[in-house]
Amino acid sequence: MKPTRFLLALAAAAAASCGPASFPEPDARPTGLPDTDAVVYLIGDAGKATPDMPIIAQLKNEVAERARETEVVVAFLGDNVYEDGLPDSSHEDYAAEAAYLDAQIDILRGTRARGIFIPGNHDWGYGDERGLAQVKRQEAYIAAAAGDGVDVAFLPAAGCPGPEVVQVASSVLLVMIETDLWLRKPEGSWSDGCRHASTDAALNSIQQALRENDAGASRQVAVLAHHPLKTRGPHGTYFGWKNQLFPFTNLWAPLYIPLPFLYPGVRNMGISRQDMNNSTNQRMRAELAAVFSEVAGQPLVYAAGHDHSLQVFDGEELGTGYVLVSGAGSKLTEVGKYDALFAAGKQHREYGYMRLEFFSDGRVLLSVITDGTASCDDRRNCRGEATVRYWKWLTSR
C-alpha cells in the first residue's frame, strides 16, 4: 500500500474507533462537611463561550446557588476572547467577540460572586502596542460591566505583570500574575504606571506576599495565571493522532494532507514562547518555582489554563502543593495522562472547570467538573448535567 493511502486508512480507522474516552469513576463525595469559608472556581480559555453552552449555564447556576451562602470567586484564567483579543468597536467582528466576553461576565451577573479576568496570549493577540491596546480594551470593557453592577475586575492591570493580591474570606489569598507579558518581555521593563517594572521586582513582590502571609494570617495561597507550570497537552509536547499525521486539519478540519510527525517535531523544537520547550518559557517557570520553594507548603495551588484540558499534578518538584490546568472552558485539545493525578481533554468530549472549596476547619477540597454531554445522542440539544469526575483533599484537617 502506498504511504499516502496507508496514512488515510490509518486516519479512517482511528476516526471510526475513537468514541469518547471514559472517565475514571470517582469516589463518592465526602459527607458531613463543615461550613464553607469560600469557594473559588477556575475556568480558562473560555473565549468562545456562549450562554447556551451547557458548561456555562451549569457554572452560572452553581455560582448563583453557592454565592447565597458563602463568598465565591470565579477566576477566568486567560484567553477570554479568541482569537486576537477584543477589537475596536468599529471592527466588523467586535459584536461577536464582545458576546463571548459577555457570556463569561453574565456568570456573575445577578449574583453576589466576584469575577477575576486574567489576560492570556490570545487576549493580546498581537505584539507590542497593538497587543497592549487589545488587553487595555478588554480591561475597559470589564470595568464598564463593573460600573453596571457586576462584581468583576481585570487583574493584573493591562500591561503590568502583577502580582495582584486579593483576600477572600478569612482563609484564601489569591495572587494573580500576567505570564504572557512575562514571556513577551522577559528582560525589559513593562508599561508605564506598573507597580513593578521588571521581572526581578515582580518575583520579589510574589516572594514578599508569600512570606508575609506565612508569618501572619497564614491563608491558603492560590497563584492564578494563564501559562501552566506543567502540562501534558500540546503546549507540553503531547499531540494526538490527527496532529501527528494531518496537521493542516488545525487550519481547516477537512484538510487531510499527510505530513506525518512534522508538526509535533517543529513544535517540540521550542520555537514558540507559548510552549514549554521554549527557553524563555523554561526560564519563567524556573524563576517562579524557585520563589515558591522558599515558603514551605505555599502556594497550595498554582492554577492556569492555556492547554484546553483539565489536569491535576502533584506540584512538590515545582515548589507548590498542586499544579492545576483548567483550560476547558470553550475549546478542547487532547491530553496525555503520564504522571498526572487526573487528565481529561478532547478525547473525553466534555468541557469543564474546577472548584476549590475552603472549609472552616482548614481543609481544602478540589473537584474537577465536566458538563456531562459526551453520552448524548443529540449533542446539539443536550443540556447535560454538571458531573464531578475527580476530587481530592488538598490539605488534611
Side-chain angles (χ1 to χ4, degrees), residues 237-257:
T237 74
Y238 178 86
F239 298 92
W241 68 268
K242 191 178 287 187
N243 278 323
Q244 294 275 5
L245 302 178
F246 304 100
F248 288 116
T249 56
N250 286 308
L251 302 176
W252 187 41
L255 205 57
Y256 279 88
I257 299 175

Side-chain angles (χ1 to χ4, degrees), residues 350-366:
E350 293 188 357
Y351 300 107
Y353 57 87
M354 296 186 183
R355 178 180 66 210
L356 294 169
E357 295 173 276
F358 298 82
F359 293 102
S360 58
D361 65 356
R363 288 183 292 173
V364 181
L365 181 65
L366 165 70

Side-chain angles (χ1 to χ4, degrees), residues 187-222:
E187 303 287 353
S189 60
W190 290 303
S191 299
D192 293 339
C194 297
R195 288 189 298 115
H196 306 109
S198 69
T199 302
D200 287 343
L203 288 167
N204 289 337
S205 184
I206 296 170
Q207 181 185 66
Q208 181 180 357
L210 293 175
R211 286 178 174 175
E212 289 178 354
N213 178 69
D214 188 54
S218 295
R219 293 177 169 88
Q220 296 290 356
V221 180

Side-chain angles (χ1 to χ4, degrees), residues 12-253:
S17 62
C18 63
S22 60
F23 290 97
E25 188 66 29
D27 295 333
R29 177 178 164 85
T31 58
L33 296 172
D35 292 338
T36 307
D37 189 48
V39 181
V40 176
Y41 293 93
L42 307 169
I43 182 168
D45 302 77
K48 286 289 186 182
T50 60
D52 60 346
M53 287 179 65
I55 196 64
I56 299 301
Q58 292 165 7
L59 179 57
K60 180 176 177 61
N61 290 338
E62 183 176 347
V63 166
E65 181 179 348
R66 296 301 296 268
R68 295 190 189 105
E69 59 188 33
T70 191
E71 193 162 343
V72 171
V73 173
V74 182
F76 299 89
L77 302 174
D79 287 359
N80 311 313
V81 181
Y82 282 110
E83 294 291 328
D84 299 311
L86 187 65
D88 184 86
S89 58
S90 62
H91 194 280
E92 61 181 356
D93 294 330
Y94 175 81
E97 305 291 359
Y100 295 136
L101 199 54
D102 285 336
Q104 297 163 77
I105 294 171
D106 284 348
I107 292 172
L108 290 307
R109 195 178 300 277
T111 77
R112 295 167 54 190
R114 286 190 283 175
I116 295 174
F117 286 81
I118 298 168
N121 56 297
H122 282 282
D123 297 305
W124 282 78
Y126 306 95
D128 302 323
E129 292 304 314
R130 187 179 182 188
L132 181 59
Q134 299 292 80
V135 290
K136 285 188 173 181
R137 190 175 295 116
Q138 185 178 145
E139 180 181 47
Y141 195 93
I142 291 170
D148 194 35
V150 188
D151 192 352
V152 288
F154 186 91
L155 299 174
C160 296
E164 293 290 341
V165 179
V166 172
Q167 297 179 8
V168 184
S170 63
S171 59
V172 187
L173 196 70
L174 301 180
V175 179
M176 279 65 66
I177 57 176
E178 217 282 45
T179 49
D180 196 62
L181 182 60
W182 208 295
L183 294 174
R184 286 167 182 266
K185 293 188 175 182
E187 303 287 353
S189 60
W190 290 303
S191 299
D192 293 339
C194 297
R195 288 189 298 115
H196 306 109
S198 69
T199 302
D200 287 343
L203 288 167
N204 289 337
S205 184
I206 296 170
Q207 181 185 66
Q208 181 180 357
L210 293 175
R211 286 178 174 175
E212 289 178 354
N213 178 69
D214 188 54
S218 295
R219 293 177 169 88
Q220 296 290 356
V221 180
V223 175
L224 309 180
H226 178 64
H227 294 84
L229 290 182
K230 187 173 187 176
T231 174
R232 297 306 187 189
H235 288 295
T237 74
Y238 178 86
F239 298 92
W241 68 268
K242 191 178 287 187
N243 278 323
Q244 294 275 5
L245 302 178
F246 304 100
F248 288 116
T249 56
N250 286 308
L251 302 176
W252 187 41

